[in-house]
Amino acid sequence: MINVACPIIGWKENQLIKEVLDSGILASGKYVEQFEQSFARYSGVKFGIANVNGTASLHVALLMSGIKPGDKVITTPFSFIATSNSILFCGAKPVFVDIDPKTFNISSIGIERALEKYKNIKAVLIVHLYGLPCDMEAIIALKEKYKFVLIEDSCQAHGAEFKNKKVGSFGDAAAFSFYATKNMMTGEGGVILTNDEEADKYGRQLINHGRYGHSLHTILGYNYRLTNIAAAIGIAQLEQLENWITKRIINARKYNEAFKSLDFLKIPYIPKNCRHVFHQYTIRVSSIERNKFIKYLADNGVNSGIYYDNVLYKQPLYKRRGYGSVICEEAEKAAEEVLSLPVHPSLSENDVDKIIEVVSGYRK
Ligand SMILES: *Cc1c(COP(=O)(O)O)cnc(C)c1O
């Protein structure tokens, strides 16, 4: 069976983990610092704060950008639930804006409409879904016009670029995840990026019990610290990231070439100026076809995945919180039609050829 995700662990991860274990320094340590600096440098951002996961990174990114209880935060309903939950963690209120059906990312026209409608929007939390950057030109123009806080959920988009600039470098802060199935991983892990020195200092306090100096606790903080072991894995993984992205892009190009003439699916759209890093290779199939197609793929040795089969505001948690009447038509349609095929760098050429053969051989 060919799976949709498969972490790669090399000799260097093993070597560095052994070094950490031998050193006896298992919690915060030199690899944590080294990892956050190298990931920040890679992304073209000044400061990086390593921490336990992407969800905590989102939470801290919002807090350190000044999001307070009652604030309204625009976001997309077509994402992993951690995106909008991080807004709830702050006691703030998600305002869901529909997606652009071509890119699956939040619609910049929709953002402007919501900014006009509500007037008191504090922040916009965008998601570079599947590894494709949002329309940063339009969003930055809106930020200048309306002066909101911009946070990037970059948990699926390590190394993705808009006009040769990496995601995570556009907003006031950005969150990355190093969960085991992401484009690079530390098992569980995350990083918050920012260019703002004060925000960085505040964020560091937030992930460490609000500690200031040796024994003063000046604010309410959390224990969101990353371990030295996880950071060691991250250092080794980051060295491979560009290789792996290249492989993902090559695999995606092969699929695009092979699938573009198939009439039962739509291949991913890549806007100009974007480097899509293909955390997911996501096609659209009609809703009637999807279950049949998934079963056909599985019967022929190819696993696939649906990200996501429901919009966030329809989750029971959100319905209970008064989101029952929200409608984002394009997001709802996408939830019924998307399907992700394996595109990860551990696929062999044979695997890729087999996937192409199986998909192309589908008869309705
Ligand atoms: C993975 C992911 C997260 C959460 O990351 P964790 O490390 O699993 O907490 C948040 N947002 C998006 C879009 C993700 O894909």
Side-chain angles (χ1 to χ4, degrees):
M1 201 67 163
I2 305 175
N3 284 318
V4 262
C6 176
I8 304 175
I9 297 140
W11 62 269
K12 182 116 188 217
E13 284 85 338
N14 280 284
Q15 185 198 324
L16 293 184
I17 289 171
K18 187 169 183 312
E19 264 177 47
V20 172
L21 292 175
D22 290 345
S23 77
I25 299 168
L26 304 181
S28 301
K30 69 171 184 186
Y31 285 127
V32 174
E33 214 172 300
Q34 193 184 320
F35 179 50
E36 51 195 14
Q37 285 170 6
S38 35
F39 192 79
R41 196 179 321 120
Y42 169 78
S43 302
V45 179
K46 279 190 197 149
F47 306 103
I49 307 170
N51 69 95
V52 283
N53 56 51
T55 308
S57 301
L58 283 165
H59 183 198
V60 171
L62 288 164
L63 289 176
M64 74 193 219
S65 305
I67 306 310
K68 297 268 168 354
D71 286 344
K72 288 196 178 75
V73 181
I74 287 174
T75 196
T76 171
F78 195 54
S79 181
F80 183 51
I81 196 156
T83 305
S84 54
N85 279 3
S86 68
I87 300 169
L88 298 182
F89 295 162
C90 301
K93 203 173 157 9
V95 174
F96 292 106
V97 161
D98 208 352
I99 59 167
D100 174 343
K102 274 161 87 178
T103 62
F104 301 110
N105 280 329
I106 193 165
S107 154
S108 45
I109 297 165
I111 294 175
E112 180 153 34
R113 224 176 273 143
L115 287 163
E116 286 292 338
K117 181 173 168 192
Y118 292 102
K119 301 293 179 200
N120 58 347
I121 296 289
K122 178 69 182 275
V124 179
L125 172 54
I126 60 173
V127 181
H128 307 295
L129 198 70
Y130 305 144
L132 177 68
C134 292
D135 182 359
M136 294 319 301
E137 199 159 79
I139 292 168
I140 292 297
L142 288 175
K143 178 173 165 62
E144 277 161 17
K145 183 170 170 194
Y146 293 91
K147 312 282 180 218
F148 50 78
V149 169
L150 178 63
I151 312 288
E152 298 174 70
D153 179 339
S154 307
C155 289
Q156 301 186 359
H158 324 68
E161 293 172 6
F162 185 86
K163 287 201 168 167
N164 300 316
K165 198 169 171 309
K166 290 218 160 53
V167 302
S169 66
F170 293 91
D172 296 281
F176 288 81
S177 165
F178 305 113
Y179 181 69
T181 59
K182 308 288 181 176
N183 284 16
M184 61 171 285
M185 64 93 197
T186 60
E188 297 266 11
V191 151
I192 308 140
L193 297 184
T194 184
N195 281 314
D196 182 326
E197 193 169 358
E198 288 307 307
D200 173 68
K201 277 189 192 145
Y202 189 47
R204 276 176 204 288
Q205 275 193 281
L206 285 168
I207 70 153
N208 190 20
H209 300 291
R211 180 181 276 177
Y212 182 86
H214 182 63
S215 59
L216 274 186
H217 298 267
T218 56
I219 57 167
L220 179 64
Y222 306 83
N223 177 0
Y224 281 171
R225 296 180 311 251
L226 190 68
T227 65
N228 214 18
I229 302 172
I233 299 173
I235 287 165
Q237 292 264 308
L238 182 56
E239 288 176 8
Q240 295 299 318
L241 179 61
E242 279 298 311
N243 272 337
W244 292 337
I245 290 173
T246 304
K247 286 195 180 157
R248 285 176 183 272
I249 292 172
I250 290 171
N251 292 343
R253 281 199 190 128
K254 286 188 186 162
Y255 293 157
N256 281 345
E257 203 42 46
F259 301 159
K260 67 182 179 198
S261 56
L262 299 177
D263 62 358
F264 65 91
L265 64 78
K266 260 206 196 97
I267 60 172
Y269 168 75
I270 311 170
K272 255 191 271 150
N273 303 322
C274 284
R275 182 198 202 200
H276 190 328
V277 294
F278 288 101
H279 173 57
Q280 301 293 349
Y281 180 89
T282 303
I283 57 171
R284 267 190 201 260
V285 292
S286 81
S287 48
I288 314 137
E289 220 66 46
R290 189 166 65 177
N291 282 338
K292 252 176 74 188
F293 188 53
I294 292 170
K295 186 174 180 304
Y296 162 83
L297 291 172
D299 288 345
N300 287 280
V302 179
N303 265 333
S304 54
I306 300 175
Y307 312 101
Y308 297 90
D309 65 1
N310 205 356
V311 289
L312 294 175
Y313 54 79
K314 282 193 179 171
Q315 292 291 349
L317 168 68
Y318 285 84
K319 279 194 180 160
R320 223 169 45 237
R321 284 168 176 251
Y323 287 88
S325 61
V326 176
I327 297 173
C328 295
E329 276 178 22
E330 293 299 346
E332 291 184 23
K333 198 161 163 236
E336 287 178 359
E337 297 184 350
V338 290
L339 188 66
S340 298
L341 301 172
V343 71
H344 55 81
S346 35
L347 295 175
S348 66
E349 276 188 43
N350 274 345
D351 292 335
V352 172
D353 290 344
K354 183 184 168 186
I355 291 166
I356 289 175
E357 193 185 308
V358 170
V359 171
S360 307
Y362 181 64
R363 297 291 172 267
K364 285 194 260 190

